[in-house]
Amino acid sequence: MRAVGAWWLALGRSADHNAAALLAHHMAEGTALTLFAHGPSGMGTFEPAVGALACRLLGPSGFAINLGTALLGALLMPVIYLWGRAAGGKRAGCAALLWVVVGPPVFFRYLAWSCGGYAAMLVFATTTLWLTTHIASRMQMGLRVSRWTFLWLGLIAGLGWWTTPLVVGCYAAAVLVWVTALGRRSLSCRLIYLLLGFVLTSAPRWIPHVTEVGAALTGFWTFDRGPMLPALKAIMVERLPDLMGLWHERVVRAAGWITTATLLVLAIVIMVRRWRCAGLRGNALFIFSALAGILLHLVAIALGPFASSPLTCYLLPLVPLLALLLGVATESMGRHLAWGMGWLPLLFLISPHVAQLPVYRDWRAGDGAYTGRVRSLQSELVAEGIAGVYSDYADARGGYGLNFMTGEAVCFVDPEHDYDGPYHDRMERASQVGVLNDYGRVTDLLTSTQGKGRYREVAGFGLHDRFVPPPAQVEIAPIHWVSAIDATGADCLAALSDGRLASTAAPGGDSTGELTLTFTLDAPLSVSGFRLRMGEGAYPAAWQIQGAAVGKPWRDLVPRQRVTTYFWSGTRPYFGGYGYRVEGQFTASEVTRLRLVLYAPQEGEVGAIAEVQWLGPSAPRATTPADVSALREVLQQRDVRHLYADRWLAGQLEPLSEERVDRAMESEPLRLYAWSAMVVGLDSARLCRAVLARAEISVRETRVGPWILFDVAPGAWEHSYAHGRGLVWAGYSCLAR
């Protein structure tokens, strides 16, 4: 059944599945292990390794990766049977096994497709609790337990902790069962073997956090204590019925919930009766361990950050434990009711699980058409020379799924929701990029900067490509400003043009949330754009530019524009995030006064403005490969090994530089060594020059194509330059703090 599920769910329908599939594929190929920051333990767990082994045997495919997970999940079945048999006999074991052969829909899916660790979590958490109970039961009866059994228990528990801290509820239950069963005999020298095994197999989680005890204990999952009772109520009323896969119809769902509750109460009654009977206390201990596991896992979830999450996958450890209790209750009813009537409640609970199977089969039938669409998209992207595409990973079939289905021939990246080093580097270096389904509102960038791009439908996907940057501009130097009046009426000309982030115009705005800055020029000048840098506080949600010529009223130079998540660098757009670099460009107009209107975000007000640059039209000049080559030659001649450059230029220089250029990321403290340099555009040269002069850093300037190269002349470097002297790199220039 699990193998059939692996076939039906070969493509998967979640970002977690697609990320784990890519990791398993990389492991099978022997390439670098990409530890995604997405899913349990960054996906670097035992479960993808099993999928990778299946890929090595059967070839890379979604089915092979899922088959590894299915085989791992199949190990759970004998554990459930043995646990049920120990608690209530063979019939109880068979009844418990019957409930999970197909299992609730969420259980079936996570044991049939690779999702980074949920199948491994179920196997290791359940086995740890069962084996602990088994050892405690034998020791309670005075039987000998081999030290190798303790070692195996530690190894299994360590694998579970490496997979995810979500096993903490089952592990706490194991400790409770151990102490309850053995009392003063709980401490044993053989526990050293358990500890040794646990440390060995959980090492991948401990080692990265060896100096951070709290992080090592929980990894990405920590207890953020909140009201427990409301969280438990939401879990019991909303998420638990979904976890059990009850019918969705209200009346039938209520009947299923009542049936489940009745069987659980019956199992508890059986446990209490057997606990009072000395000869059956061992059976009761196995029922008690399942009940303790359920209660403690619910408490752990209610106290943790997943308390308010609507996802049922965090409750998956409850499924094998519920199966045991249902099996014990069904066995008891089967003994007391004739004609197999005692099995009817369990069959009623199983019926919606079986009814869900045709849905998975239909998913598989529709996957062929979707795969064809992806192949068409891939062919079009390759034909256009597009090496990277911005795409939303929140879409179950986007991002990682597209990377997996295309064999990573084209790099699909979601920089807002996820970060993967190799994908990020590929996207940074790509000369031609695309944007899928208007990810991050790239249309706002084109509208607000006069850039161009083509939009079309390709196999059902909305694709933006063939981007053309806006016309070149040149800075209108602040010496042409007469005044810059902020919201308080004060003249902040010096604060907005000195290249210092600490000197700002007053934050806030009027009662409507608008912040207005009014600039006066010394003569009519042609203005076509601006660049804005914020100090402390929130970036605006939108902006608008108004202008006025001599003796003329105010008019809109550009209507209200939303702040975009993209910015231009070189020949293509880059994603920077909301307010990363606020720029605008519009049709050039000759004015003597300018009004910059900033609109507040939904929550809060506009923060303090640190720097404003006004830009005017420049002679058109396109950047050519010859310009990049010329710059590379100059860098090599001067032995530059540490370069500050804007995103596109840095990406172009890296593969051309024979690893001689170490690209520094934006917003980093500026550190200049004897082998360092900065490359800025002509529109930012004046600003960079002024900031360096104010910091008393002596540099030489060299014009190379459309750029200015700033580097330290031989013999002029000072040790204090390495500390930056309070400067930061802003991408287009350096600024003072």
Side-chain angles (χ1 to χ4, degrees):
M1 181 56 67
R2 296 290 173 260
V4 173
W7 173 256
W8 284 341
L9 304 173
L11 287 185
R13 278 171 164 74
S14 78
D16 280 342
H17 165 79
N18 295 320
L22 276 173
L23 176 57
H25 184 52
H26 292 165
M27 296 171 71
E29 290 180 333
T31 56
L33 301 185
T34 306
L35 301 184
F36 294 94
H38 187 89
S41 289
M43 294 296 180
T45 63
F46 184 80
E47 184 177 320
V50 179
L53 178 61
C55 281
R56 295 294 295 269
L57 297 175
L58 303 177
S61 68
F63 169 67
I65 293 171
N66 284 352
L67 186 61
T69 297
L71 295 176
L72 180 63
L75 298 177
L76 187 64
M77 302 303 148
V79 175
I80 292 176
Y81 172 76
L82 293 173
W83 196 343
R85 189 181 69 176
K90 293 183 179 179
R91 289 186 179 181
C94 291
L97 193 59
L98 183 62
W99 194 65
V100 294
V101 165
V102 175
V106 63
F107 179 80
F108 180 85
R109 291 196 299 270
Y110 281 94
L111 262 66
W113 68 19
S114 179
C115 219
Y118 289 100
M121 171 187 68
L122 284 167
V123 172
F124 298 136
T126 305
T127 304
T128 297
L129 184 52
W130 163 73
L131 189 54
T132 301
T133 309
H134 173 74
I135 295 173
S137 178
R138 289 182 61 85
M139 293 181 65
Q140 190 181 49
M141 293 185 292
L143 300 177
R144 183 177 180 274
V145 179
S146 169
R147 59 180 176 272
W148 300 109
T149 304
F150 281 91
L151 180 62
W152 274 110
L153 175 59
L155 293 172
I156 293 170
L159 287 172
W161 192 256
W162 170 26
T163 301
T164 171
L166 283 171
V167 299
V168 66
C170 288
Y171 287 11
V175 174
L176 178 61
V177 169
W178 183 264
V179 174
T180 302
L182 301 178
R184 295 180 179 179
R185 293 182 296 160
S186 299
L187 297 179
S188 170
C189 293
R190 298 195 174 188
L191 292 177
I192 296 176
Y193 294 94
L194 186 153
L195 180 62
L196 176 62
F198 180 84
V199 171
L200 285 175
T201 51
S202 63
R205 174 171 291 277
W206 296 91
I207 291 175
H209 307 291
V210 68
T211 60
E212 304 173 24
V213 177
L217 289 174
T218 57
F220 76 96
W221 193 67
T222 56
F223 287 104
D224 296 329
R225 292 187 178 274
M228 186 176 68
L229 292 181
L232 280 175
K233 180 180 178 181
I235 292 172
M236 299 295 291
V237 175
E238 300 172 7
R239 294 160 63 184
L240 198 57
D242 290 335
L243 175 73
M244 297 189 64
L246 302 179
W247 291 102
H248 293 291
E249 290 75 7
R250 185 172 182 179
V251 175
V252 185
R253 188 180 184 87
W257 185 229
I258 293 172
T259 302
T260 302
T262 302
L263 293 176
L264 295 180
V265 170
L266 178 58
I268 295 173
V269 172
I270 294 171
M271 179 194 70
V272 173
R273 292 182 60 184
R274 292 180 180 177
W275 196 276
R276 293 176 178 177
C277 180
L280 297 176
R281 185 163 295 177
N283 300 90
L285 186 64
F286 284 92
I287 304 175
F288 172 75
S289 65
L291 183 62
I294 292 173
L295 294 178
L296 290 178
H297 186 75
L298 287 173
V299 170
I301 292 296
L303 291 176
F306 302 134
S308 59
S309 173
L311 300 177
T312 55
C313 56
Y314 303 125
L315 301 177
L316 277 173
L318 301 181
V319 174
L321 308 180
L322 289 170
L324 175 82
L325 298 181
L326 295 176
V328 170
T330 300
E331 186 276 336
S332 177
M333 293 178 62
R335 283 189 290 107
H336 293 87
L337 298 177
W339 308 103
M341 298 296 291
W343 289 75
L344 290 180
L346 183 65
L347 295 177
F348 171 65
L349 295 178
I350 293 174
S351 59
H353 307 167
V354 178
Q356 182 70 16
L357 293 179
V359 175
Y360 307 134
R361 184 189 59 205
D362 294 341
W363 286 1
R364 176 68 189 186
D367 286 343
Y370 184 78
T371 302
R373 290 173 51 204
V374 174
R375 294 283 181 257
S376 298
L377 175 64
Q378 177 184 352
S379 299
E380 185 65 23
L381 294 174
V382 172
E384 289 288 333
I386 295 175
V389 178
Y390 289 113
S391 173
D392 189 0
Y393 280 12
D395 182 354
R397 286 288 183 80
Y400 289 137
L402 294 174
N403 281 320
F404 181 70
M405 283 185 278
T406 59
E408 299 177 293
V410 179
C411 180
F412 293 87
V413 176
D414 180 354
E416 188 170 20
H417 297 112
D418 213 10
Y419 180 87
D420 173 65
Y423 287 167
H424 175 81
D425 291 341
R426 286 179 61 183
M427 198 68 180
E428 287 291 297
R429 295 173 179 150
S431 297
Q432 297 292 331
V433 299
V435 178
L436 214 57
N437 300 324
D438 199 26
Y439 171 83
R441 303 199 317 263
V442 72
T443 51
D444 287 349
L445 175 73
L446 302 179
T447 303
S448 62
T449 62
Q450 290 195 326
K452 297 179 181 179
R454 177 180 65 172
Y455 176 80
R456 57 202 171 110
E457 293 282 337
V458 178
F461 296 94
L463 177 66
H464 282 92
D465 63 353
R466 293 190 180 179
F467 293 105
V468 178
Q473 296 185 106
V474 65
E475 183 186 31
I476 299 175
I479 60 173
H480 296 294
W481 303 5
V482 175
S483 63
I485 308 302
D486 66 12
T488 65
D491 189 348
C492 54
L493 187 152
L496 296 180
S497 60
D498 60 1
R500 296 178 60 240
L501 298 177
S503 59
T504 64
D510 57 22
S511 59
T512 64
E514 297 180 9
L515 174 60
T516 302
L517 294 173
T518 303
F519 298 83
T520 302
L521 306 179
D522 60 0
L525 294 175
S526 182
V527 181
S528 61
F530 79 102
R531 182 182 292 129
L532 176 68
R533 179 80 183 202
M534 302 296 292
E536 298 294 332
Y539 270 82
W543 55 269
Q544 181 180 3
I545 304 293
Q546 297 176 337
V550 177
K552 300 291 185 179
W554 290 101
R555 61 185 178 89
D556 287 343
L557 300 183
V558 58
R560 178 169 173 166
Q561 302 288 332
R562 289 189 296 186
V563 170
T564 178
T565 55
Y566 289 92
F567 65 94
W568 290 100
S569 179
T571 61
R572 49 156 285 200
Y574 280 80
F575 185 93
Y578 171 69
Y580 184 77
R581 188 187 298 181
V582 181
E583 297 175 322
Q585 194 162 342
F586 43 89
T587 303
S589 298
E590 191 171 275
V591 295
T592 55
R593 291 181 297 163
L594 290 162
R595 182 181 289 164
L596 174 61
V597 183
L598 303 178
Y599 297 89
Q602 291 183 351
E603 298 181 0
E605 59 183 20
V606 179
I609 304 172
E611 197 71 19
V612 174
Q613 285 180 280
W614 289 107
L615 306 171
S618 174
R621 189 184 192 284
T623 303
T624 65
D627 295 328
V628 179
S629 298
L631 178 59
R632 177 178 61 87
E633 292 178 4
V634 174
L635 295 175
Q636 289 179 334
Q637 291 171 2
R638 299 186 180 182
D639 194 29
V640 173
R641 290 165 293 174
H642 181 229
L643 180 69
Y644 290 96
D646 209 359
R647 298 274 282 276
W648 178 84
L649 183 58
Q652 298 304 304
L653 287 172
E654 280 185 336
L656 294 173
S657 59
E658 300 177 358
E659 300 181 352
R660 295 176 60 87
V661 176
D662 174 26
R663 173 168 55 90
M665 296 300 294
E666 297 186 26
S667 301
E668 288 187 354
L670 189 71
R671 302 183 186 279
L672 290 178
Y673 305 97
W675 54 86
S676 299
M678 289 179 290
V679 179
V680 301
L682 299 178
D683 59 343
S684 300
R686 191 276 318 166
L687 176 62
C688 188
R689 186 183 304 114
V691 172
L692 291 172
R694 190 176 295 109
E696 298 182 349
I697 295 178
S698 177
V699 295
R700 58 180 174 178
E701 297 184 30
T702 306
R703 171 76 180 266
V704 184
W707 305 291
I708 299 294
L709 172 66
F710 293 93
D711 69 329
V712 182
W717 183 78
E718 297 180 13
H719 187 270
S720 60
Y721 291 3
H723 300 287
R725 295 194 175 182
L727 304 185
V728 296
W729 178 248
Y732 57 90
S733 175
C734 62
L735 297 172
R737 293 184 187 277

